[in-house]
Amino acid sequence: MKKAKTPSYVVELPVSVSTETERQLNARLLAGSRLYNAVLGEALKRLDLMRDSKAWQAARKLTGKPRSEAFQAEIKKFAFSSASLSSCATQCKNSAFWQNRLSANEMQRIAETAFLAVQQYSFGKRGRPRFKSRNRPLKSFSGK
């Protein structure tokens, strides 16, 4: 990130909310954590199945354009994409009765975040993504 040429600062102010609002925010964050875990688990399962397939193993031995085409065919076969995991997240959200806790935009962003973490892991750029627990909860999420 480029250094700003103008002086700037960040101010963090505590927000005071009622107990009912705090309860609703905690419920939304908990639903977001559970949805993230569900999508992350599905993405890791699809990645493992994809890597175990014989076609994937054969594609690893190829070079050039045929290699890329073989990998893309396997990715499509196992539905390892942000859009397919977003539809999986929609099914999870609807079956868990979280319609009033998470909006569609927030749900899509959570699914995209989980997919990007698994994608970076699949490329070898990062370690295996972790599930959210009570000790390491989801602290915030955004919408698209």
Side-chain angles (χ1 to χ4, degrees):
M1 191 166 151
K2 290 173 52 176
K3 186 175 178 182
K5 294 183 181 183
T6 59
S8 59
Y9 56 92
V10 175
V11 176
E12 292 185 11
L13 302 172
V15 177
S16 60
V17 296
S18 68
T19 55
E20 177 63 22
T21 305
E22 184 178 3
R23 187 186 67 77
Q24 289 174 355
L25 288 173
N26 287 335
R28 291 182 67 174
L29 287 171
L30 180 62
S33 293
R34 290 183 176 170
L35 182 65
Y36 177 85
N37 287 342
V39 174
L40 183 63
E42 181 65 24
L44 288 171
K45 182 175 81 171
R46 290 180 187 188
L47 178 65
D48 289 341
L49 288 172
M50 190 169 57
R51 284 181 170 173
D52 289 342
S53 71
K54 291 181 181 180
W56 185 270
Q57 298 301 323
R60 290 180 64 197
K61 297 176 183 173
L62 300 174
T63 58
K65 193 172 181 180
R67 177 186 172 111
S68 298
E69 291 171 352
F71 280 138
Q72 289 301 321
E74 285 300 297
I75 287 171
K76 195 172 197 177
K77 177 182 170 188
F78 286 95
F80 186 68
S81 68
S82 181
S84 65
L85 288 173
S86 181
S87 68
C88 174
T90 302
Q91 292 172 355
C92 289
K93 181 184 109 171
N94 292 339
S95 65
F97 304 107
W98 293 334
Q99 288 92 345
N100 58 347
R101 292 191 184 161
L102 296 172
S103 71
N105 291 331
E106 293 164 343
M107 183 237 10
Q108 288 173 356
R109 185 69 181 121
I110 289 170
E112 184 179 327
T113 303
F115 171 73
L116 291 176
V118 175
Q119 188 180 40
Q120 292 295 313
Y121 168 63
S122 71
F123 293 151
K125 296 190 183 223
R126 293 200 168 174
R128 186 174 175 91
R130 298 179 186 174
F131 291 95
K132 299 296 179 191
S133 67
R134 289 180 185 241
N135 297 333
R136 297 171 49 100
L138 190 66
K139 295 182 177 118
S140 67
F141 56 86
S142 62
K144 270 189 160 181

